[in-house]
């Protein structure tokens, strides 16, 4: 069965410094992985997705993630944090049984200090 | 294209009542999924509909049901409401093409059960 584990419930960075949000996944086959962001009182927005085409995936707003099969990781990074990046981030794996079901991690709340 | 819309955005009900939530997917999307988001349990899959058929169901009691209409709009119903049903209910739609597992989320309906 597929699952994702987000290793940090909260991450705090200063504006202008790098962001690293960690995610490990478990899947019996090559998974589809996603990162979603949720701003307060808003729905979920897709940041980026991995579907085996390339291990380094670039997303919106300067975010990127690297798929590492040997480490079963899909960490999200950004070179320089902006105040507007403060939000909750979810690592997500897609269940590959054509059911379109997504399994969400527990979320990482990113705080950006001025 | 217009995004996924959900109505109402906020709802207050009392225990024992029932509630119906509505979701209109992105034009052309035939798959609609529903998720429940609570602080304690995080984001959990409820069910997914495709062409008016429920294709997959999460681990929720039978009080939670849904349906999809021929225009792909979907409704979710919760009967005999309990306090624990207070949550943000998110709807997501996706296409049936190559990006079938890329889901686009609506802003959610926040249900409060008193």
């Amino acid at each position: 069965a597929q699952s994702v584990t987000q290793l940090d419930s909260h991450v705090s960075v200063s504006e202008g410094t790098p962001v690293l949000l960690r995610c490990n996944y478990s899947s019996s086959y090559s998974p589809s992985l996603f990162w979603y962001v949720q701003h307060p009182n808003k729905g979920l927005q897709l940041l980026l997705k991995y579907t085996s085409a390339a291990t380094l995936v670039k997303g919106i707003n300067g975010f990127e993630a690297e798929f590492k099969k040997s480490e079963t990781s899909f960490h999200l990074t950004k070179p320089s944090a902006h105040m507007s990046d403060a939000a909750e981030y979810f690592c997500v794996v897609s269940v590959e049984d054509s059911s379109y079901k997504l399994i969400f991690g527990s979320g990482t709340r990113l705080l950006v200090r001025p | 294209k217009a995004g996924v819309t959900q109505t109402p955005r906020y709802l207050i009900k009392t225990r024992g009542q029932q509630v119906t939530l509505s979701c209109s997917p992105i034009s052309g999307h035939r798959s609609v999924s529903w998720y429940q988001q609570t602080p304690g349990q995080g984001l959990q899959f409820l069910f997914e509909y495709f062409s008016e058929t429920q294709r997959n169901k999460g681990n929720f009691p039978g009080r939670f049901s849904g349906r999809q209409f021929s225009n792909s709009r979907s409704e979710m119903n919760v009967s005999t409401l309990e306090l624990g049903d207070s949550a943000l209910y998110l709807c997501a739609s996706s296409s049936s093409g190559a990006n079938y597992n890329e889901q686009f989320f609506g802003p959610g309906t926040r249900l409060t059960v008193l």
Side-chain angles (χ1 to χ4, degrees):
Chain A
Q2 294 90 351
S3 66
V4 287
T5 302
Q6 292 185 244
L7 301 171
D8 306 292
S9 59
H10 294 80
V11 169
S12 180
V13 300
S14 297
E15 189 176 22
T17 64
V19 175
L20 170 64
L21 304 183
R22 300 181 296 164
C23 172
N24 286 349
Y25 71 91
S26 173
S27 178
S28 55
Y29 40 74
S30 185
S32 292
L33 292 161
F34 309 81
W35 277 97
Y36 280 85
V37 62
Q38 186 176 36
H39 287 91
N41 300 313
K42 295 287 179 66
L44 293 155
Q45 181 183 21
L46 178 66
L47 277 178
L48 50 81
K49 65 175 181 179
Y50 165 77
T51 53
S52 76
T55 56
L56 183 62
V57 182
K58 293 188 184 299
I60 62 171
N61 301 334
F63 285 95
E64 62 181 39
E66 186 172 8
F67 174 76
K68 292 187 176 180
K69 186 174 181 178
S70 61
E71 299 176 10
T72 61
S73 68
F74 189 58
H75 301 335
L76 182 70
T77 60
K78 183 174 181 178
S80 177
H82 191 271
M83 296 298 292
S84 61
D85 294 329
E88 186 145 25
Y89 293 79
F90 294 93
C91 183
V92 182
V93 64
S94 171
V95 174
E96 295 293 345
D97 62 358
S98 301
S99 68
Y100 296 29
K101 177 179 176 180
L102 298 180
I103 296 174
F104 284 78
S106 54
T108 298
R109 187 165 297 277
L110 176 64
L111 172 66
V112 182
R113 302 184 304 271
Chain B
K1 275 186 181 179
V4 178
T5 57
Q6 293 186 246
T7 57
R9 291 293 311 278
Y10 301 90
L11 208 47
I12 299 175
K13 293 285 188 179
T14 56
R15 279 186 304 173
Q17 288 186 311
Q18 75 164 16
V19 66
T20 299
L21 313 180
S22 180
C23 171
S24 293
I26 291 172
S27 178
H29 286 190
R30 295 167 62 190
S31 169
V32 173
S33 300
W34 288 89
Y35 295 83
Q36 181 197 64
Q37 185 176 25
T38 60
Q41 299 299 317
L43 275 147
Q44 293 185 287
F45 173 79
L46 279 157
F47 29 64
E48 185 249 348
Y49 287 86
F50 183 87
S51 293
E52 303 178 64
T53 300
Q54 185 183 88
R55 294 200 299 187
N56 202 0
K57 192 177 190 308
N59 190 26
F60 279 82
R63 299 184 298 106
F64 291 82
S65 64
R67 60 177 175 169
Q68 187 180 33
F69 302 94
S70 58
N71 62 358
S72 295
R73 189 178 70 85
S74 177
E75 288 183 347
M76 186 192 109
N77 185 75
V78 188
S79 62
T80 320
L81 284 166
E82 300 178 0
L83 295 178
D85 297 334
S86 294
L88 181 66
Y89 290 89
L90 292 162
C91 163
S93 75
S94 56
S95 67
S96 53
N99 295 320
Y100 74 95
N101 57 7
E102 182 174 326
Q103 295 191 13
F104 296 86
F105 284 80
T109 294
R110 183 160 302 277
L111 171 64
T112 302
V113 182
L114 302 176

